[in-house]
Amino acid sequence: MKNLSNRDKKHLWHPLKQHQTHPESLAIVKAKGCILTDEYGNEYIDAIASWYTCMYGHCNDYIIEKTYQQMQQLDQIMFSDFTHEPAIKLSEELIKILPNNQNKIFFNDNGSTAVEAGIKMALQYYFNKDKKRSTFIAFEDGFHGDTFGAMSVSGLSIYNGPFEDFLIDVKRIPTPNGTNNVEVLDQVSDLIANHSIAGFIYEPLLQGAAGMKTYDAHGLNDILKLFKSKDILTIADEVMTGFGKTGKYFASDYIDTKPDIICLSKALTAGLIPMAITSCSQHIYDAFLSNDMAKGFFHCHTYSANPIACATAIAGIELLTSKDIQDNIQDIIKSHNSFNEHIKNHPKVKTTRQLGVVFALELDTKTERYGGLRDKLLKFFMANGVFLRPLGNTIYIQTPYVITKQQLNKIYKTIEEALDIV
Ligand SMILES: *Cc1c(COP(=O)(O)O)cnc(C)c1O
């Protein structure tokens, strides 16, 4: 099995990679619980749950068992013409845990297309009411995915540069931080007065790709209230924050004003099978009801509501809502609190951030998103058996909920040691 890394180079093109300067990709041959094993037998703790997906641990036995049962029953069926119990049951289970204004579940197959569908829902919502609205508002530094609509509302330039001339119209506002709330609100009022705003899209409370940046919940609530009062749709991108990461089922649970539309993916299917969902409130759905066929939502992905992925998602929700996992989440939060107290005054640490099981530490140095220091840190972590993937000068932890105390301590210790090399 050796030498996978060399065979990789022949035909494969990896995402988010400059192959000329970074030709190597490490081959992982096995993952179980929180442990990744490479082709040479080295083990690494997966401290970011493989991009926040495998929250119940890799190859979780319960999830695999439930998925396997479904595989023997019904594999794939077109969801435009048929329905099936896994989709029905998943919609029922999701509606139970989603913010209580959510009432309809629409399927996609990745986070970007969940956002894409949310954007299209908002545009067509007004179109169907004979109103033309074309501009979105989004936060600076937000990340919502890589398809054109999702890319347009994202604010991270390394992803968007070559495509800027082809994006939909988006106005950007800073995140409210407690001291600028009034100014941000004024800016929103101005934008609403001067443009035909269709919607506001946001990562609630925590901007993941921007470096796990947190912001002010009251400020966000005020913005959402203003949009609501002006009949402008709000879209919460919970692709990263959903399913317990923030300590509640959804980050929107911390905010009084609920979004009209919510985008979900990543932990939705526990890292086993790709799937995504765009949920919405009843009044969005109602705007698509008509005797006119063309007022329906003509957006579809071939694998919409794939029964196997639905079964996986149902099993994931069972685990998420179990006492064991909820207890684990609280234990991780406590553990992060202590580490935070211990590390936050370290001379190399500029600031720390914590929300739920997400802990981030910003180094007191400047570094490019994919710069040399970031590479050096990544190498150091891997050499010490921990997979952590710094975002620029931010090191963050977001482990599976099933991480052991001992594994967490090893992650903390490795981060502390890494501060000596920066
Ligand atoms: C990852 C992510 C996306 C994109 O999801 P993909 O499945 O990678 O397309 C969108 N929004 C947020 C907040 C994300 O973290």
Side-chain angles (χ1 to χ4, degrees), residues 40-111:
Y40 308 104
N42 301 312
E43 294 189 342
Y44 311 88
I45 301 172
D46 186 354
I48 66 162
S50 287
W51 261 334
Y52 347 127
T53 56
C54 308
M55 299 311 289
Y56 316 102
H58 286 272
C59 297
N60 178 292
D61 291 335
Y62 183 75
I63 295 202
I64 289 176
E65 175 60 30
K66 289 290 177 177
T67 304
Y68 182 58
Q69 282 171 13
Q70 182 58 43
M71 282 173 133
Q72 295 166 297
Q73 182 70 32
L74 173 67
D75 52 357
Q76 163 69 1
I77 182 77
M78 294 154 75
F79 203 59
S80 54
D81 302 76
F82 300 99
T83 193
H84 50 77
E85 190 175 8
I88 295 166
K89 171 117 168 98
L90 176 56
S91 70
E92 291 164 353
E93 296 305 318
L94 262 179
I95 293 299
K96 277 187 211 158
I97 59 169
L98 278 167
N100 59 19
N101 71 334
Q102 299 296 296
N103 204 34
K104 291 286 171 184
I105 299 294
F106 186 87
F107 286 94
N108 308 280
D109 37 32
N110 61 70

Side-chain angles (χ1 to χ4, degrees), residues 174-400:
T175 46
N177 58 21
T179 55
N180 68 351
N181 289 13
V182 175
E183 289 110 87
V184 176
L185 210 56
D186 283 349
Q187 205 175 327
V188 173
S189 297
D190 280 353
L191 287 171
I192 295 173
N194 294 307
H195 301 272
S196 64
I197 307 292
F200 168 60
I201 182 161
Y202 60 104
E203 292 163 273
L205 297 187
L206 185 65
Q207 294 185 296
M212 301 296 153
K213 288 198 180 138
T214 48
Y215 61 92
D216 187 57
H218 293 291
L220 176 60
N221 193 50
D222 288 344
I223 295 173
L224 294 175
K225 265 196 331 218
L226 179 57
F227 282 122
K228 207 136 266 199
S229 73
K230 303 279 183 188
D231 186 33
I232 291 168
L233 298 183
T234 55
I235 306 173
D237 179 352
E238 295 237 19
V239 169
M240 198 276 288
T241 48
F243 302 99
K245 272 81 165 268
T246 63
K248 295 191 187 257
Y249 290 150
F250 299 96
S252 294
D253 295 340
Y254 286 96
I255 318 284
D256 286 341
T257 310
K258 303 303 178 196
D260 300 295
I261 295 172
I262 300 182
C263 310
L264 304 169
S265 188
K266 292 202 165 107
L268 167 67
T269 35
L272 196 64
I273 295 180
M275 189 168 73
I277 278 172
T278 311
S279 72
C280 69
S281 59
Q282 185 70 33
H283 82 286
I284 305 282
Y285 177 82
D286 288 345
F288 291 73
L289 295 177
S290 166
N291 291 328
D292 180 359
M293 187 77 179
K295 288 202 168 172
F297 193 41
F298 279 77
H299 178 107
C300 176
H301 298 286
T302 311
Y303 280 92
S304 288
N306 170 260
I308 297 168
C310 288
T312 308
I314 296 164
I317 293 173
E318 278 177 57
L319 293 183
L320 174 70
T321 53
S322 70
K323 184 168 183 314
D324 277 359
I325 291 293
Q326 287 301 312
D327 287 350
N328 288 359
I329 289 175
Q330 293 311 316
D331 289 346
I332 295 172
I333 292 173
K334 275 191 215 123
S335 178
H336 283 350
N337 284 340
S338 324
F339 179 58
N340 189 21
E341 283 308 312
H342 170 72
I343 206 79
K344 69 181 183 194
N345 294 322
H346 190 288
K348 301 266 179 73
V349 174
K350 183 171 163 204
T351 178
T352 57
R353 297 184 279 272
Q354 196 194 331
L355 183 62
V357 303
V358 182
F359 175 82
L361 176 159
E362 199 174 314
L363 297 169
D364 198 8
T365 102
K366 279 242 170 316
T367 178
E368 286 165 38
R369 190 172 183 82
Y370 290 101
L373 176 64
R374 180 259 187 199
D375 287 353
K376 189 169 156 191
L377 281 169
L378 193 68
K379 228 179 176 162
F380 178 85
F381 291 136
M382 292 301 279
N384 283 280
V386 178
F387 174 45
L388 279 163
R389 188 175 185 275
L391 293 163
N393 62 349
T394 299
I395 299 167
Y396 73 92
I397 309 172
Q398 191 185 124
T399 69

